[in-house]
Amino acid sequence: MSSAEKYRALKGMRDVLPPDIYVWQKIEGIASGLFASYGFSEVRTPVAEATGLFTRGIGEGTDIVDKEMYTFEDKGGRSISLRPEGTASVVRSYIEHQLHTLPSPQKFYYAGPMFRYERPQSGRFRQFYQIGVEAFGSSSPALDAEVISMLRHFLQRLGLDQLVVQVNSIGCAACRPGYTGTLISFLGERQGELCPDCQRRHAQNPLRILDCKVPQCIALRQGAPKVMDHLCADCRQHMELLQHLLTGLEIPFVLNHEMVRGLDYYTRTVFEVTSGDLGAQNAVAAGGRYDRLVSECGGPDVPAFGFAVGMERITELVKKTLPAVHPAPSAFLALLGAQALYEGLRIADRLRTAGIWTETGDHTASLKSQMRKADRVAAAFVIIIGDDELAAGEFRWKKLADGTGGSAPFSALSSFFCGCS
RNA sequence: GUGAGUGUAGUUCAAUGGUUAGAGCACUGGAUUGUGGUUCCAGUUGUUGGGGGUUCGAGUCCCCUCACUCACCCCA
């Protein structure tokens, strides 16, 4: 707590240690297994990219690129940024490696740290982890439905099956301008009464007015036209079929006409999964369709769909539902004396080779303190090795859970642990 | 960037402005020879986040600063 000399993790960045790390590993294991069954392959992209990739992809005028990026100049004078999200990097990679020449759709997932310079709070960090998926090359709502279904199964496997998906469509290049026009004319003269942020949005990105939480803005948009009612025929069809498919897949969802998402690249489908058990930062997973991002980043005209889940937020929820795991050694070798140390290390070596988690005690310490240590690390069995045992060719053992014990020849040690580990 | 709350031992917390800042847990050792947990005994750790001020006297009151937490904002 004291001295300013001590190093600590940077603000908003933290260590993931046991026992939490076991929760992380479990989540990642479930993700990779499940995603594989949907045909998604892992990709690993660099954590840093040219700044322009993010400003162009995510969009200037968004908070993320305007004030939250870790941007610096490298020694060659290039502007570099730590990725604030994963999609732009995967899109860059897709274009750079001409993956559109492979059969569509191409489906990828990634897991890793993202960086945003924000004020930390519950569920929000400057370095945070996302597991994300991106699928390229299909504009069919079937893709939207399958990917959302995959997310749903992922959450279910983690015991988070009561979470509801919120869905909306924000239209496309053909119909969105028309809608924002009617939204603006609906507000009309009263736009001056909007909050300062919305005054700015009014000009830059009128859609964002829809999810402003300032009371006067909520009041002003009462009865405002809904995006969903102003979609072009294609977008409307897309949305209708998506809802039909989601229903068929038995995915509980609600339409949220005011959800628009904070990134510029979305088209048509946007969705979000939130939790009531988290605090203010309650979005657990979110994503949508981005049919123009690939071409806007210099690639071919390829539609895509994706989402990201926030690891820190997921782990918080998972920790509430699943019991904590405390991995413990199967064998603890209590060693008494120098000869026991010599033989004990050879024995530990054999057990470990057989895949049995084995710990060894301090051969100079008393048996009592070694027993105590074995208990503290919750070892299943203590194997006692001292001069007596070596002379007799038999080890003594004790099962800590019930205090039972006995002895057995050293030659039977490995088989002793079969089925116990 | 804005606002609020909190900073005392490794940790959780005590200490009407008044001696040398305490306790539980944890940790280490021991309780007649080589058997854990329960119990008993002993031991270790603090510039009370840092700096300044008020006062005869500050962990306690005031100011500044730093850190953490939560919220706004934004988002996963």
Side-chain angles (χ1 to χ4, degrees), chain A residues 105 110 131 175 189 218 287-288 380 412:
Chain A
Y110 58 85
I131 298 179
C175 55
E189 310 256 313
I218 294 175

Side-chain angles (χ1 to χ4, degrees), chain A residues 83-387:
Chain A
R83 61 183 182 194
E85 57 102 53
T87 300
S89 301
V90 177
V91 166
R92 191 227 78 226
S93 180
Y94 178 86
I95 297 168
E96 180 170 341
H97 301 287
Q98 317 239 23
L99 300 183
H100 67 280
T101 59
L102 298 172
S104 290
Q106 284 290 305
K107 298 181 279 195
F108 304 104
Y109 75 90
Y110 58 85
M114 308 296 161
F115 303 84
R116 290 181 201 170
Y117 194 86
E118 296 182 274
R119 196 77 168 264
Q121 74 185 73
S122 180
R124 188 171 73 185
F125 305 90
R126 289 184 174 178
Q127 175 174 333
F128 60 101
Y129 287 76
Q130 286 186 336
I131 298 179
V133 315
E134 318 289 353
F136 299 91
S138 168
S139 57
S140 165
L143 179 67
D144 307 29
E146 283 195 75
V147 173
I148 291 174
S149 172
M150 182 170 85
L151 171 61
R152 163 104 182 130
H153 282 295
F154 173 64
L155 296 172
Q156 274 180 326
R157 290 255 199 117
L158 294 171
L160 311 175
D161 40 9
Q162 68 284 49
L163 299 177
V164 173
V165 183
Q166 299 181 65
V167 184
N168 193 17
S169 175
I170 57 172
C172 65
C175 55
R176 198 186 307 166
Y179 169 72
T180 54
T182 61
L183 178 62
I184 285 172
S185 54
F186 169 81
L187 291 168
E189 310 256 313
R190 307 192 65 190
Q191 67 155 286
E193 300 169 41
L194 292 166
C195 72
D197 280 335
C198 282
Q199 304 274 353
R200 188 171 44 77
R201 290 170 182 141
H202 188 87
Q204 279 191 331
N205 191 349
L207 272 189
R208 302 292 323 266
I209 295 173
L210 290 177
D211 76 346
C212 180
K213 296 174 203 90
V214 174
Q216 76 220 50
C217 298
I218 294 175
L220 281 171
R221 64 171 188 257
Q222 282 293 320
K226 294 172 179 173
V227 209
M228 213 84 86
D229 297 333
H230 293 261
L231 297 176
C232 61
D234 286 348
C235 283
R236 192 178 328 113
Q237 240 174 39
H238 187 97
M239 190 59 191
E240 278 165 7
L241 184 47
L242 172 59
Q243 290 182 59
H244 181 61
L245 295 172
L246 290 177
T247 304
L249 288 164
E250 295 171 31
I251 297 168
F253 68 94
V254 296
L255 295 179
N256 181 345
H257 300 284
E258 299 189 328
M259 178 182 63
V260 299
R261 315 285 312 129
L263 288 71
D264 276 0
Y265 53 63
Y266 287 117
T267 51
R268 292 188 172 165
T269 313
V270 293
F271 74 101
E272 200 169 287
V273 179
T274 56
S275 165
D277 293 329
L278 276 179
Q281 306 299 317
N282 61 2
V284 156
R289 179 163 278 285
Y290 46 96
D291 289 342
R292 298 181 58 203
L293 182 58
V294 175
S295 60
E296 244 154 53
C297 288
D301 191 11
V302 172
F305 188 93
F307 70 78
V309 309
M311 274 297 281
E312 287 83 355
R313 295 177 188 181
I314 290 278
T315 56
E316 277 311 299
L317 294 175
V318 168
K319 280 196 286 183
K320 288 176 184 177
T321 56
L322 297 181
V325 281
H326 297 288
S330 301
F332 187 99
L333 308 190
L335 308 173
L336 302 164
Q339 186 60 28
L341 173 64
Y342 179 87
E343 292 300 333
L345 290 195
R346 290 165 53 85
I347 290 166
D349 197 59
R350 285 214 308 276
L351 290 175
R352 289 161 177 164
T353 301
I356 295 157
W357 180 2
T358 305
E359 295 292 337
T360 58
D362 174 358
H363 74 287
T364 64
S366 67
L367 178 60
K368 176 191 282 290
S369 77
Q370 293 190 62
M371 290 294 293
R372 195 182 299 160
K373 176 75 72 63
D375 185 59
R376 277 198 46 233
V377 299
F381 289 88
V382 176
I383 303 300
I384 299 170
I385 301 170
D387 292 340

